[in-house]
Amino acid sequence: MEIKSALILLNGDIRDPKSVRAAAHRANAVICADGGARHAVILRLQPDYIVGDMDSLPKALPKAWKKTLYWRDFDPERSDLDKALDFARSIGAREVQIAGASGGGLDHELVNFAALEEGGAGFDLTVIDGGVARLLGPGRHWLSLKKGERFSLLAAPRARLSLVGARFGLKNELLRRGSRGLGNRAEGKVVLTVREGRVWVVARGSRRTK
């Protein structure tokens, strides 16, 4: 089976189990980054792969996981998320959803999002965490937002972009990481055009439809 999409489970908090289960059913592969396997146990998901140094696995793994492939990587210079992203790339995944990126300590959260920006190049990347954060690169993106829905833009770390269909529009402007892109509202069909760089789009259900 061709692996086009993958769900990566990290060892942080899962705030929206229903959305994570739905993402698992849509994905061609479920990858647990080491301790992220505990979420697979709780959500009754069978991972296709578990990647990492295996030092944070649950003590008792389900017997049904006989077909799960364990990919050991002891490199201390890379986080389990770095390893999982590299593994997803090696099996051909192009669309990657991430769950469990937050929680587990502020230092881990900061490292995870830095790793996503650094190692997520080339992926259609989405973070599921009580809402959706999607990392978008150059191109025109139609955002599926209801009228009046709140959303925010956060440059990663800089992006030149235009935005129409929102309360606060942008026209070929340079957005730097900071508060400027926070708290916008959809007023119609929201179209984001990224000319340079990458930007996080954060909303309850933001996604690119075209």
Side-chain angles (χ1 to χ4, degrees):
M1 179 180 66
E2 184 180 6
I3 304 297
K4 294 183 178 180
S5 62
L7 170 67
I8 296 178
L9 296 176
L10 304 179
N11 197 18
D13 295 337
I14 298 289
R15 295 188 174 96
D16 190 354
K18 184 177 179 180
S19 293
V20 175
R21 279 193 292 265
H25 291 307
R26 291 193 302 268
N28 298 128
V30 175
I31 302 171
C32 294
D34 203 345
R38 71 184 179 93
H39 293 306
V41 174
I42 294 170
L43 298 174
R44 297 182 180 180
L45 300 174
Q46 181 169 342
D48 297 284
Y49 309 98
I50 298 178
V51 179
D53 56 14
M54 309 300 169
D55 65 345
S56 301
L57 289 180
K59 292 183 179 179
L61 296 175
K63 295 180 180 179
W65 290 11
K66 293 179 181 179
K67 294 184 179 179
T68 299
L69 174 65
Y70 295 80
W71 189 267
R72 294 180 181 273
D73 188 331
F74 296 104
D75 185 353
E77 300 298 322
R78 298 187 302 145
S79 70
D80 288 329
L81 175 53
D82 291 321
K83 297 170 186 178
L85 288 171
D86 286 346
F87 185 82
R89 185 174 286 108
S90 74
I91 62 175
R94 295 187 293 277
E95 178 183 342
V96 175
Q97 297 188 78
I98 308 289
S102 62
L106 180 58
D107 53 349
H108 286 281
E109 290 187 19
L110 293 172
V111 166
N112 282 341
F113 279 91
L116 288 173
E117 292 181 9
E118 182 70 23
F123 287 126
D124 182 346
L125 189 65
T126 303
V127 176
I128 307 168
D129 187 15
V132 176
R134 188 161 187 170
L135 185 59
L136 299 177
R140 182 172 294 176
H141 310 280
W142 284 257
L143 306 182
S144 181
L145 297 166
K146 296 179 181 179
K147 187 174 182 179
E149 185 173 354
R150 184 182 186 278
F151 71 100
S152 295
L153 302 178
L154 181 65
R158 296 172 49 161
R160 183 171 295 280
L161 48 83
S162 296
L163 179 71
V164 298
R167 180 175 299 174
F168 305 110
L170 297 167
K171 186 174 181 180
N172 195 29
E173 296 187 42
L174 181 64
L175 188 69
R176 293 182 174 85
R177 176 164 290 166
S179 61
R180 187 182 175 207
L182 299 180
N184 212 331
R185 295 274 179 184
E187 292 192 338
K189 183 181 292 185
V190 182
V191 182
L192 171 69
T193 302
V194 182
R195 305 182 190 284
E196 299 174 15
R198 293 182 297 168
V199 62
W200 290 100
V201 180
V202 186
R204 172 61 58 180
S206 64
R207 62 184 176 87
R208 186 183 64 187
T209 58
K210 290 185 181 180

